[in-house]
Amino acid sequence: SKVPPGEPTAAVSSSSTDAILKLSARGSSSSKSALQMAKKKKKAPVASNKIQVKMLKYVEGTGSIGDVVMVTPAFFNNKLRPTGSAEKISDEAVAAERKEKDDKRRQVLDAA
């Protein structure tokens, strides 16, 4: 039950084989193959629309007290802000808090 080369198989109809052959014949003059012509172009990644917040309360699935997490503005406005569970925080504020924690740790280690 071997199929000779160039003959369509049961899984490929003759019309689709003809279309591929025509595309590949045309492709000899251009540099693209039939597969490359059939592939869809990838879209550019969409910019993230999340904001950075600091958790003031524990919220299951989001974070614990003191965690800095990224959430959508809608989630922040609809759930976190009305319940007082989080506040917006800037990158500079996060860096300042980390510096304060590091300074306190160094003081404790130096005193020991």
Side-chain angles (χ1 to χ4, degrees):
S1 81
K2 290 185 180 179
V3 178
E7 290 292 321
T9 62
V12 179
S13 70
S14 62
S15 62
S16 63
T17 304
D18 291 342
I20 292 172
L21 290 174
K22 285 179 186 177
L23 285 174
S24 62
R26 251 192 297 172
S28 62
S29 63
S30 70
S31 61
K32 289 187 177 181
S33 71
L35 268 179
Q36 288 173 328
M37 291 173 69
K39 285 186 180 179
K40 292 183 180 178
K41 292 184 179 180
K42 292 184 181 179
K43 293 182 180 179
V46 178
S48 174
N49 63 342
K50 295 194 175 189
I51 58 173
Q52 188 170 252
V53 298
K54 180 180 179 183
M55 300 301 296
L56 303 174
K57 295 180 182 176
Y58 171 77
V59 177
E60 188 173 342
T62 305
S64 298
I65 297 172
D67 289 351
V68 176
V69 296
M70 300 294 287
V71 297
T72 61
F75 182 68
F76 175 73
N77 289 328
N78 294 331
K79 181 169 183 176
L80 299 177
R81 188 170 45 171
T83 60
S85 299
E87 63 182 8
K88 286 185 182 180
I89 190 166
S90 66
D91 289 335
E92 293 82 17
V94 171
E97 284 185 12
R98 286 188 182 149
K99 186 175 187 244
E100 283 180 29
K101 284 184 181 180
D102 289 343
D103 290 344
K104 286 181 183 179
R105 285 186 186 147
R106 286 188 190 121
Q107 287 177 355
V108 170
L109 290 174
D110 291 342

